Amino acid sequence: MSALNRTPEGIPRHIAIIMDGNGRWAKQRGMPRIAGHRQGYKTVRRIVQQSLDLGVEALTLYTFSVENWKRPSEETGAIMRLIGMAARRELANLHRNGVRIIISGRLNTLSQEIRRALDQAMTVTRENQRLVLNLAINYGGRAEIVDAARRIAALVREGKLDPQEIDEETFSGYLYTPELPDPDLLIRTSGELRVSNFLLWQIAYTEIWVTPVLWPDFRESHLLEAVEDYARRQRKFGDIPQESKASV
Ligand code: IPE
Ligand code: IPE
Ligand code: MG
């Protein structure tokens, strides 16, 4: 996947989005928070389609965090039902469009019903190559790193891995989605200036774009704005620009 590198010039290969602001959107309208999540689902459909149109290789959507279980069970239950329903309802269309669905997160603690819907989505779409849609569900960036460390420790204990051989590349290989390149662009809606335990390892050099727009109000024009802003940025990864090197 990462070897393909077929994204058009200037377009991020991998976009990650913290889809925030559903609750505030609903509250502003005197509606229950879940109405905001339902509206947020409509935005997801638009943005997946637009990512296909733009030629993005991977789209990671922060859908539910491990910390979101702190919320009232009415809300978490409704979000989980919405995820299960959406996975079933969208599957045929996503498959037709060449979307491969993968999941980042601790799936084993989710209800059997949700797991079945997500497993089926992953299995049916596993050969698709046009866009990888990575859904971060019951996801925590620290949890992901801990899970990788546990797997690595088990291999070391079994004598299958030498601790001296563990470098950043090896470590990345034990994260949830070793096949994806790191995100080029991280978008957060609703104006919060924090990462909220999202992709802690992978966003080391990701470009960040924050908008005050609430996720249910996020439109194609906003994504275009983010992508255009990204195209104007100079990524340096700790280096200095080539043209500055002559005059060091
Ligand atoms: C993001 O919207 C969706 C989830 C976290 C599941 P929120 O529900 O966090 O909306 P706000 O931040 O309360 O407005
Ligand atoms: C991040 O949003 C999680 C998702 C978008 C799924 P939160 O609303 O949970 O983040 P905080 O609590 O504002 O940091
Ligand atoms: Mg929020």
Side-chain angles (χ1 to χ4, degrees), residues 149-162:
R150 281 191 192 147
R151 289 174 62 196
I152 290 170
L155 289 173
V156 169
R157 187 179 54 194
E158 291 164 25
K160 291 181 180 154
L161 186 64
D162 176 357

Side-chain angles (χ1 to χ4, degrees), residues 18-20 62-65 68 71 188 192 194 196:
I18 303 175
M19 311 184 288
D20 198 18
Y62 204 1
T63 307
F64 193 89
S65 76
N68 287 147
R71 299 182 182 201
R188 180 162 191 152
E192 246 47 88
R194 53 177 175 259
S196 302

